[in-house]
Amino acid sequence: MIRPLLRRLALAVSLTALSTVAFAAGPLSYDLTPTRVGPDTYVFVGSTEHFTRANGGNILNAGFIVTSDGVIVIQTGPSRRYGEEMRAAIRRVTDTPIRKVFISNLHPDYFLGAQAFTDVPIAALPGTIAGIQEEGHGIADNMYRLVGDWMRGTEVVVPTEPVFGSTVVFGDHRLRLIPLNGHTAADLALLDETTGILFTGGVVFCDRTPTTPHADIAAWLKELDALDALDNVRLVVPNHGHIRPDKACVGQTRDWLTWLDGTLRAAVEAGLDMTDALELPIPDRFAGLDVLRAEYRRSVAHLWPKIERESLPRVH
């Protein structure tokens, strides 16, 4: 009799503790705070982790520019909740209406907050629009599995306006739209020629290991060279990682991708299998990259099959 009673008492105490923790935690919130990084320009600095239920998918550097002709939003975050909180945070900075939203690629943290902005044009490269149309629902389903209740009510919104490489003027700001590819099939970078601030649109990571689920490494390396050649860049806002007043992380991303591609190709040529490749040593110079070993292993899984097909002779 005593033992069942003690078990019931322990269960009751545990449930009470859990409900107290849940009550103390309150409703989920990203607590978004815009950081001013230059004239009229703000960034919501994200974590350098993977998507988790703890961070709600908040791992991206989304941003906005307050022009004299309206606010320009760059990325919308990983969920409807994020988009709504982002819009509320923008309102705390300015009552200037939002003029346009730019989405840089089809990865979830770039576009799944777009429900909060359906009253304004949402612009993206044609390849991004096609990618979201084709893969968007699967991407959203995966985010529901990864971050859970943060995604409540999130539905896919496809960008409404195709854009191409051009320079557009919004009030007192000139934005150069730079179409790239490599990180995905379509990556849109934006250079504000008025301030010299470059939003890198998916192809630059800074002190965070690059992700490769849609990567074409050779194309990506060419696009990094193109960004490195840009003049009058005063500040680089990477898609993930630390904001810098130089292009050092363009080189850092190039270094990682060059090593990764060369290492995996050498492993195939040496007759290693993918299991062996997962445990290969990583040079010490990359030790400062966040989520290093985990992201390396993900990249092996993403890239190995294609490299193996390209490297091994066909048997007829």
Side-chain angles (χ1 to χ4, degrees):
M1 286 290 293
I2 293 176
R3 287 182 178 176
L5 179 61
L6 289 174
R7 283 198 295 269
R8 288 197 296 272
L9 180 59
L11 177 62
V13 171
S14 296
L15 292 175
T16 301
L18 286 174
S19 64
T20 300
V21 170
F23 178 79
L28 296 175
S29 174
Y30 290 102
D31 296 322
L32 295 180
T33 301
T35 298
R36 186 178 181 274
V37 297
D40 309 322
T41 308
Y42 299 81
V43 174
F44 298 98
V45 179
S47 163
T48 56
E49 303 168 340
H50 291 300
F51 297 124
T52 69
R53 292 184 182 233
N55 62 38
N58 180 14
I59 68 170
L60 181 77
N61 295 330
F64 64 98
I65 303 168
V66 182
T67 81
S68 59
D69 190 30
V71 176
I72 305 304
V73 174
I74 304 168
Q75 327 311 350
T76 63
S79 67
R80 176 178 180 170
R81 183 189 302 272
Y82 185 104
E84 291 172 347
E85 290 190 28
M86 182 181 185
R87 189 153 190 174
I90 294 170
R91 178 61 62 186
R92 292 194 294 272
V93 172
T94 178
D95 58 3
T96 305
I98 294 172
R99 171 77 179 277
K100 186 167 290 191
V101 173
F102 288 100
I103 303 293
S104 284
N105 66 48
L106 55 60
H107 287 169
D109 38 345
Y110 291 76
F111 79 91
L112 281 174
Q115 279 171 281
F117 299 95
T118 53
D119 58 329
V120 297
I122 302 174
L125 294 170
T128 297
I129 295 173
I132 292 173
Q133 288 172 330
E134 180 178 352
E135 299 187 50
H137 292 289
I139 289 170
D141 288 346
N142 191 47
M143 285 296 287
Y144 271 90
R145 288 190 292 270
L146 289 171
V147 304
D149 198 49
W150 292 93
M151 298 295 293
R152 186 181 296 273
T154 301
E155 297 178 359
V156 173
V157 172
V158 178
T160 54
E161 180 181 314
V163 295
F164 306 87
S166 63
T167 299
V168 292
V169 177
F170 295 97
D172 48 350
H173 287 257
R174 290 172 52 88
L175 299 184
R176 191 191 312 177
L177 309 182
I178 306 171
L180 305 171
N181 66 86
H183 176 53
T184 74
D187 298 289
L188 178 66
L190 294 93
L191 173 61
D192 186 342
E193 295 181 343
T194 304
T195 62
I197 297 174
L198 174 66
F199 288 84
T200 63
V203 301
V204 176
F205 291 69
C206 193
D207 303 325
R208 202 275 188 197
T209 313
T211 60
T212 58
H214 294 91
D216 178 329
I217 301 299
W220 193 343
L221 289 169
K222 290 180 181 178
E223 302 298 7
L224 289 171
D225 290 342
L227 289 186
D228 221 1
L230 291 174
D231 294 326
N232 301 319
V233 174
R234 300 184 182 90
L235 191 78
V236 173
V237 181
N239 35 299
H240 302 277
H242 300 124
I243 298 166
R244 289 187 58 104
D246 55 40
K247 298 177 185 173
C249 286
V250 177
Q252 183 188 80
T253 304
R254 183 194 294 111
D255 186 22
W256 170 259
L257 295 175
T258 301
W259 173 83
L260 177 67
D261 185 66
T263 297
L264 297 188
R265 291 184 184 278
V268 169
E269 293 291 338
L272 275 64
D273 62 22
M274 191 166 75
T275 304
D276 297 323
L278 290 169
E279 302 306 324
L280 289 173
I282 299 173
D284 290 343
R285 69 181 185 276
F286 298 122
L289 302 185
D290 286 345
V291 295
L292 177 60
R293 175 58 67 172
E295 201 64 71
Y296 165 74
R297 287 174 174 158
R298 290 182 68 219
S299 289
V300 173
H302 297 151
L303 302 173
W304 187 268
K306 180 182 178 184
I307 291 174
E308 199 170 46
R309 288 194 303 269
E310 292 174 350
S311 299
L312 296 180
R314 293 185 181 182
V315 177
H316 297 283

